[in-house]
Amino acid sequence: STQSTGFRTLIMKSYSEEEVSGHSTENDCWIIIDDNVYDVTSFLSKHPGGKKVILKVAGKDASKQFKQFHDVHQVLAKYGKQFQIGTLKSFEQRSSSSSSTFGSTVPFSEPAWYRGAPSPYYKDTHIQFRKKVRDFVLSQLVPHVPKWEEAKDYPRELHSMAYKAGIYG
């Protein structure tokens, strides 16, 4: 997983839930929000709701509690990148295996070819291209959209990155 800060890219580490659970004290406090790992140790004393609220979910998935009290997109757009140190390994695995299970499993909600049924029109090249685009969007665009929206700009090298990834042909 990558994190873009300005026009440079940093590699973000993937952590298991077990690794995160080892950081559950006032002097070493990590939390998980929507499959992203945050080191909020330095933020504990600054949290408007007090540090005890965060310490109750230290080392755990705090998504549910976080969403109850915060506008997720607004707060994470403002503070997320400052405290995010990585992603959850299980999310990385779900993302990489999503190419075969992408879309809805509700019957007839997706075109048959989309779920892998034979089609005279959609071939393996379509499936490969769809996977390539999805992987690019999930790894290079989705994690950075809130920051780019806030800045009302995006890195121009995205076009060359998309070209190198085979998106433009």
Side-chain angles (χ1 to χ4, degrees):
S1 161
T2 59
Q3 175 183 4
S4 177
T5 51
F7 292 98
R8 62 190 168 98
T9 303
L10 304 171
I11 302 299
M12 293 195 96
K13 186 172 178 191
S14 294
Y15 298 94
S16 68
E17 288 186 54
E18 186 178 339
E19 288 175 290
V20 175
S21 70
H23 301 271
S24 58
T25 67
E26 192 171 333
N27 296 321
D28 185 21
C29 183
W30 293 8
I31 59 173
I32 301 166
I33 300 171
D34 291 338
D35 297 312
N36 291 310
V37 180
Y38 299 89
D39 181 347
V40 293
T41 309
S42 64
F43 183 70
L44 288 174
S45 61
K46 300 171 189 153
H47 186 251
K51 62 184 171 186
K52 287 183 182 180
V53 174
I54 298 176
L55 288 170
K56 285 182 183 178
V57 292
K60 302 176 194 164
D61 189 330
S63 302
K64 182 180 174 185
Q65 294 85 343
F66 185 81
K67 290 174 183 177
Q68 286 178 342
F69 298 100
H70 303 89
D71 177 335
V72 178
H73 299 293
Q74 182 181 6
V75 174
L76 291 181
K78 186 172 182 180
Y79 299 106
K81 297 301 177 195
Q82 179 181 351
F83 297 108
Q84 185 179 3
I85 57 170
T87 59
L88 202 58
K89 278 185 183 171
S90 60
F91 174 71
E92 297 274 319
Q93 292 164 349
R94 284 196 308 269
S95 293
S96 64
S97 67
S98 67
S99 61
S100 61
T101 58
F102 189 80
S104 175
T105 57
V106 175
F108 307 108
S109 64
E110 303 284 1
W113 66 268
Y114 202 73
R115 301 298 306 152
S119 167
Y121 306 107
Y122 297 97
K123 306 291 181 199
D124 285 339
T125 54
H126 291 93
I127 294 166
Q128 292 166 3
F129 181 70
R130 186 181 72 213
K131 181 186 180 333
K132 198 182 299 185
V133 170
R134 184 178 313 117
D135 291 345
F136 182 80
V137 168
L138 288 174
S139 67
Q140 301 298 323
L141 302 180
V142 170
H144 312 294
V145 168
K147 186 175 110 186
W148 295 338
E149 283 181 339
E150 187 176 301
K152 294 182 175 45
D153 197 17
Y154 67 95
R156 297 302 180 256
E157 67 264 14
L158 278 179
H159 295 291
S160 61
M161 290 169 62
Y163 182 79
K164 287 176 187 171
I167 305 300
Y168 288 162

